Amino acid sequence: MNDFLFIFLSFFALLGAFGMIVLHQPVHSALSLIVTLLALAGLFALLNASFLFAVQIIVYAGAILTLFIFIIMFLNVKESNLPKEPNKTLYLFLGGIVLIPLNLLVLRAFYAMPLLREPLAEDFGEIKPLGAELFTKWLLPFELISLLLLVALIGAVVFARKDEV
Amino acid sequence: MIGLTHYLVLTGILFSIGLVGVMRRTNLLMLFFSTEILLNAVNIGFVAVSKFYGDLSGQMFAFFIIAVAASEVAVGLGLLILWYKRNGSVDLNSLQMMKG
Amino acid sequence: MLEPISIDIAGLNLQALLPMAILTIGALALICVDLAVKGLNRSFLTMITILFIVLDFGAVIGYKGDVRGFFDVLLIDGISLIAQVIILVASALFLPLSMSHRHFREFKMAEFYALFMFMIVGFQCMVTSDNLILIFIGLETSSLALYTLIALHNRAKAFEAAIKYFTMGALAAGFYGMSALIFYALTGSVEIHQIEQVLQERHFEPLVGVLAATIFMVAALGFKLSLVPSHTWTPDVYEGSSAPLAGYMSIVPKIAGFVVAMRLFEMLVASGVVWLEYVLYAAVVLTMTLANITALVQEDVKRMLAFSSISHAGSMMAAILIGTTQANTALFVYWIFFLFTNLGAFTMLWIVRHRENLWDERYQHPYTKFSGLVKIMPMTATIMGIFMFALAGMPPFSVFWGKLYLISAAINSDYIWLAVVIALNSAVAVYYYMKLVVYMFLHEPVTIDARLYATNASTSLKVIVGFAAIVTIFSIAFVEPLLQVITHYVASSGF
């Protein structure tokens, strides 16, 4: 059952990613990316990462992608103003071919991994041990993330501000 | 039996798809989307390794990458809107004022 | 259901957080003050920021705590202290350039200074950490702040520069994540010292994996450090941003990237995994040579300085490649002298900046602008000439000592060819630095109006230039003590 779910979800993840880079209209690409993100969230759930499953859907698909689609509709780029991408499929195909050696290198690296199979704790990936670790060992990065979000917030507000004379 | 290798293969393929997208699309929005695919590929890899090693650091890293991706998208789209208001185009080829 | 978790506060070593905490509190205080009081003066904002940077500097200098801090996420060893000192001194020196004669909108905004301080916090986190996660967060914080700072300049070229830098940075983040993933999968840890330990125990067993991880990391750091082939958009970024920010970008992000590269690559290079050595060797030689050759054909002084910074960063990567204590000391000494010289050069560009492109329709500082400057403004021309001589590596100015030490480190470690390449590149570089000197001293002036060249000059800019010039000229007095101090710190951190 798990195996079937994995194959099903990863098929949709790859399909969505592929559709995202091939489709011309930004809105179609965004919707395709949402398919990928939801499939990946499902894979997180399969991997005992229940918190990440929820965070992926709420933050990534729910906030980031919504922001993207909002901006796309706000920009309202007309079909004729979209950059013409001549021979796009040809270039993408050529790009894929060029990247195959890199892909093979990475895959070969992955095949040769030393695998430690330790027995998993009962509540591995549950929210409680995750929280305990997040707020003890990774407390400093966690607070710095809030700083990072503040920097992004200041940046976004400053860009959008009207110039005061 | 689905093992770690299968998840890492998925990571590799998604990463390559994202890389092709970054290199080939001239629409700036598509460029940003492709970087999201890159980060997601890395995420799924981290969570998979984390499960198979029994170590929570991978899930932590994935969580932090999601937060970083969110902030990057905010700043990137802000820059894109500024550029669009100035130039009326989201084409990568319009970033040509300082060529060479 | 809820058991109390007990954490040993003393074991946390909170003193290690003090430098970054000071700057964070400063930045937050600045934003809150800006909410309450309208129309803050530019000088006030600059001075407050410099005050906080000085307090931070004091906290770093007076640090007498443990090497590890905060659940072992922070690592404050010798090179981290030196790098923080360099970052803080560079920030404190580049900031007064905001008080130019002409008023720019971005320097009146308190957000500029708050983002500047957040950026410094990001860089400090990058160098005081051994943990791949914290390095990533520091990298992204500083990069996001830097993109915003570039775009605040509000010219079309600045937007283009910010978008190009953003795209490079996003790609770098993706590569960094991939590299961290492979290291994590190979060793089960995200801490660099543990990664090294496990890799050495296994004798770098899955060699393909180690290679893949290192190549991704070289690509990621290559974007930050402008190594070939990720250097293509760097000159555009420098040309589009304002001169102070371009000068800052040529110094501080590079030193933070070098410290991370030092932590990661030195062990890998020393382990004898020959492929990595060749890859780095090729990257170093290509960076130095290509950047020099492209700088020869540039027509704009700012772009020329950008390519020259890329070339200098390439020689620094050579120091990491060599990997001995002497080479690492050479890196820091070189970078300190390079800091003052580049500070001076970019400040001079900032002084002679004019609002319209009077001399060339695309470039703001073409070579022809500086023709015959010695007849119009002899002091300006002399100081600019001094900085050009210093950058070219002529004795007895500053960069010469750094280069000398680096070449001697290369020869001491049997990297003879590398030393020859560095020396050859320095010789080639002399041409494009001297080109500017020739234009200034030997050509006829294009215009006799001296006021056109000093539109942006103000007291604080002149003070900064004077300080940089004095350090450059009298650097011979600083070399010996600097070498001693830095060797002590570098050796004590095991590099």
Side-chain angles (χ1 to χ4, degrees), chain B residues 33-77:
Chain B
F33 277 156
S34 310
T35 50
E36 297 305 309
I37 295 257
L38 287 179
L39 292 173
N40 268 300
V42 173
N43 265 1
I44 193 78
F46 266 115
V47 176
V49 172
S50 164
K51 166 167 178 180
F52 284 96
Y53 282 11
D55 183 23
L56 276 179
S57 311
Q59 292 193 13
M60 290 294 134
F61 208 147
F63 175 66
F64 289 132
I65 288 185
I66 293 183
V68 163
S71 341
E72 249 185 55
V73 162
V75 171
L77 288 181

Side-chain angles (χ1 to χ4, degrees), chain C residues 89 93 340 343 387 461-472:
Chain C
V89 167
L93 285 176
F340 284 103
L343 167 72
F387 289 128
L461 264 64
K462 292 183 194 165
V463 165
I464 297 281
V465 166
F467 183 58
I470 291 179
V471 172
T472 310

Side-chain angles (χ1 to χ4, degrees), chain A residues 31-129:
Chain A
L31 294 176
S32 193
L33 189 57
I34 291 186
V35 168
T36 307
L37 293 178
L38 292 178
L40 286 182
L43 281 174
F44 284 155
L46 213 55
L47 286 169
N48 283 83
S50 35
F51 179 62
L52 274 175
F53 157 73
V55 164
Q56 171 94 342
I57 294 185
I58 297 176
V59 171
Y60 231 123
I64 300 181
L65 257 291
T66 312
L67 177 65
F68 255 118
I69 296 184
F70 187 78
I71 298 293
I72 292 176
M73 300 198 178
F74 171 77
L75 287 182
N76 205 15
V77 183
K78 297 208 182 354
E79 171 71 34
S80 50
N81 283 349
L82 279 178
K84 310 250 179 309
E85 300 175 341
N87 306 327
K88 178 181 58 170
T89 3
L90 175 68
Y91 282 146
L92 286 176
F93 187 61
L94 284 178
I97 301 256
V98 161
L99 271 188
I100 282 189
L102 175 71
N103 209 358
L104 283 180
L105 169 74
V106 170
L107 289 181
R108 189 148 163 255
F110 284 149
Y111 270 109
M113 293 288 182
L115 292 185
L116 318 164
R117 295 294 310 256
E118 288 171 17
L120 287 179
E122 245 310 303
D123 54 352
F124 178 77
E126 292 286 321
I127 188 113
K128 188 157 171 215

Side-chain angles (χ1 to χ4, degrees), chain B residues 53 72 86 97-100, chain C residues 140 160 185 236 303 362:
Chain B
Y53 282 11
E72 249 185 55
R86 218 24 117 107
M97 287 176 62
M98 301 192 283
K99 205 158 166 81
Chain C
E140 286 305 306
E160 184 181 333
D236 296 348
R303 286 181 76 92
R362 177 181 147 185

